[in-house]
Amino acid sequence: MVIEVYNLSKLRLKYGGCVFSSTEVAPSIQQVDQTFGATHPGIYDRERHLFLLNFRGLTFQFPVEPKFEPRFAGGLGSLQFPGGGSPLVSQMSIYSGSSRTATEAPPMPVSCFGGQVYTEKCDVIREDDVTKGVRLHLLAASDTHLGADSEPTHLVREVQFGDSCQDVATLLGAPTKVFYKSEDKMKIHSPFAHKRAASRRSDFFFNYFTLGIDILFDARTHRAKKILLHTNFPGHYNFNMYHRCNFDLSVDPHSSIINTTTDGVHIRADTKWESVCGTLKPSSRPVVLNRASTTNTSNPFGSTLCYGVEDFICEVRTRR
């Protein structure tokens, strides 16, 4: 995750009590060097005519005219400008780590958990080409007295198909919300849909927003029959409702759903469908999911495609 600031003139910024950018203080190279102290020699990008000054978690970009190009490996000291002036910061990047190219989003501080439990990763349990359930690696606050150096408690919980709603509540705690299905919109695809009588009972979901999962229970048996894992990608209909569930669905290389010689397939939250559809045997024609209803007749994010592969379904966001 990178935060980029393009116009420092609209901000008042200071570091260590020293202001380096405001309406009165121009963010020049000398001002940045004076505020942040010594660092490694800057890097000059000859293609973009930019001078990059890097600190841990922070990068400044300065525009440099070609006629003032520094001598190779000359660094900051080789920059010569007329009248003793110097360029101002054109862009500031803030990130976690020592390098922008290798940055990763920092873990959430335990003090921000707010009594909630979060998913670190999720392993999909499969045996003999059959999906059994999920193994959740959870993070929770360890105590009520949380400091800056507090470490989360690591928990492992397994939810399997056929578990009762009491079993799931015992393993994961009370759901954030319980949602009752008003109708089954997929029943038209069943060959016996015309023989199914209207039920007075409704299937229901346990929604766990911070875990990034939903669990569907049968209306009659009250046992789990479907588990939804959310990736929380921008542009999806449910974006920003769920935390991302970093799942890993591993398909054995000897599985019957693999149609090529391979070492197996891993489907993760950031996997592109094009990278796995040539290896797996999905349904030839996907189901188009529009997510339009009487209360929301226009979906600005467009439809998604649902591909069935044996006993699991992959929802794929179409490019627009």
Side-chain angles (χ1 to χ4, degrees), residues 77-139:
S78 66
L79 286 171
Q80 302 295 330
F81 302 98
S86 67
L88 303 180
V89 177
S90 61
Q91 179 179 324
M92 179 179 68
S93 301
I94 306 171
Y95 47 87
S96 174
S98 58
S99 171
R100 174 173 174 171
T101 57
T103 185
E104 294 182 356
M108 180 188 298
V110 178
S111 57
C112 298
F113 276 31
Q116 300 292 335
V117 181
Y118 296 87
T119 302
E120 183 179 24
K121 66 176 182 176
C122 170
D123 299 321
V124 179
I125 304 173
R126 286 179 57 83
E127 297 178 3
D128 300 326
D129 286 355
V130 177
T131 304
K132 300 291 186 178
V134 293
R135 182 180 297 109
L136 299 168
H137 299 259
L138 307 177
L139 299 176

Side-chain angles (χ1 to χ4, degrees), residues 159-170 172-173 175 177-181 201-208 214-228:
V159 177
Q160 299 194 2
F161 294 116
D163 286 351
S164 67
C165 53
Q166 291 86 353
D167 294 333
V168 174
T170 301
L172 304 181
K177 183 180 179 181
V178 178
F179 175 78
Y180 290 87
K181 295 179 63 176
R201 291 172 290 194
S202 173
D203 293 348
F204 57 96
F205 283 98
F206 274 10
N207 304 125
Y208 292 93
D214 293 328
I215 302 175
L216 177 65
F217 294 93
D218 184 82
R220 184 177 60 85
T221 64
H222 291 190
R223 295 190 176 275
K225 66 177 185 179
K226 183 187 295 184
I227 301 175
L228 280 68

Side-chain angles (χ1 to χ4, degrees), residues 238-291:
N238 290 328
F239 174 64
N240 218 25
M241 289 178 58
Y242 295 83
H243 282 251
R244 174 177 294 184
C245 179
N246 292 306
F247 61 84
D248 185 352
L249 193 160
S250 177
V251 180
D252 188 86
H254 304 292
S255 173
S256 60
I257 62 176
I258 292 184
N259 56 15
T260 60
T261 302
T262 180
D263 295 331
V265 176
H266 286 270
I267 301 177
R268 300 183 175 92
D270 57 353
T271 299
K272 293 186 177 181
W273 180 245
E274 293 83 357
S275 65
V276 298
C277 64
T279 305
L280 298 178
K281 297 178 181 178
S283 54
S284 57
R285 298 182 62 186
V287 174
V288 181
L289 183 59
N290 289 310
R291 297 184 185 274

